[in-house]
Amino acid sequence: NGPNDGYTLVVGGIAPIVLVPAVKKLRYDVDKDLVPLGLIWRSPQVFAVRASLDVKTVADFVAYAKANTGKVTIGSAGIGTVPHLACEYLNKVAGTSILHVPYRDVNSGTMATVGNITQMFFGVSTSAKSQIDSGALRGLAVSTAQRSVLLPNLPTMMESGYPTFNMPGWGGLFATAGTPKDV
């Protein structure tokens, strides 16, 4: 809780505003303590594989994952993050059994895939772009309904055959509860 003077604002993303409060009791209650002001950003997650993996499309990867049940791993930024949920959703809609390997942050999850520890990852497009551009990773798709401005050659998961797959990361601006509406 902070002053409700309109000068104290909170920038929060999907994890602290939606995901964490859904699974853990916190000192704050998003619905009671914060007033949403607006969306600041929306970013796609990139579905990428290590460059040495012989898959070029999402369909190729799904076939590979089904042929290697229990052996395919994904690195992510941690349990309960958007990349983790994207992996679990892929498992659900594609009928795969990809094993989630949580790391403490997005860069560690990315490097696990670059370093051939995991086969794939869903990660933030800004973090993945340089690895894709350098050839260390192969981007297969983005998780948003529209293609990424950053990686326009990557199809969406929807274009790749999964019409309900729309999982952006996002961040918004919030005021503290009790801030006068006119402020």
Side-chain angles (χ1 to χ4, degrees):
N1 288 336
N4 55 5
D5 56 11
Y7 293 100
T8 302
L9 302 175
V10 175
V11 174
I14 190 169
I17 301 298
V18 176
L19 301 177
V20 175
V23 297
K24 184 177 181 182
K25 179 108 173 101
L26 301 171
R27 296 181 323 205
Y28 62 95
D29 181 325
V30 172
D31 294 327
K32 293 179 182 171
D33 297 334
L34 298 174
V35 177
L37 299 177
L39 188 67
I40 298 174
W41 77 85
R42 181 175 292 145
S43 63
Q45 302 297 305
V46 174
F47 177 4
V49 297
R50 62 185 186 201
S52 62
L53 197 62
D54 190 26
V55 299
K56 307 285 190 254
T57 65
V58 173
D60 290 346
F61 183 83
V62 168
Y64 171 80
K66 286 180 176 181
N68 293 280
T69 298
K71 298 176 186 171
V72 179
T73 57
I74 175 176
S76 84
I79 296 171
T81 60
V82 174
H84 175 209
L85 297 177
C87 172
E88 297 305 334
Y89 192 63
L90 178 63
N91 278 334
K92 179 181 178 180
V93 298
T96 54
S97 296
I98 301 163
L99 176 65
H100 176 242
V101 181
Y103 287 86
R104 63 189 160 120
D105 56 50
V106 70
N107 292 329
S108 299
T110 303
M111 290 299 102
T113 306
V114 170
N116 291 329
I117 296 168
T118 58
Q119 286 89 6
M120 68 162 290
F121 88 109
F122 274 101
V124 181
S125 58
T126 52
S127 298
K129 182 178 179 359
S130 63
Q131 300 297 333
I132 292 169
D133 289 348
S134 74
L137 292 175
R138 182 177 302 113
L140 301 183
V142 294
S143 68
T144 45
Q146 294 82 30
R147 288 189 179 208
S148 167
V149 173
L150 209 56
L151 297 160
N153 294 329
L154 293 184
T156 66
M157 289 296 289
M158 292 174 161
E159 291 174 304
S160 299
Y162 299 95
T164 59
F165 205 112
N166 182 17
M167 298 188 77
W170 58 263
L173 187 63
F174 301 82
T176 53
T179 300
K181 288 195 185 291
D182 62 328
V183 173

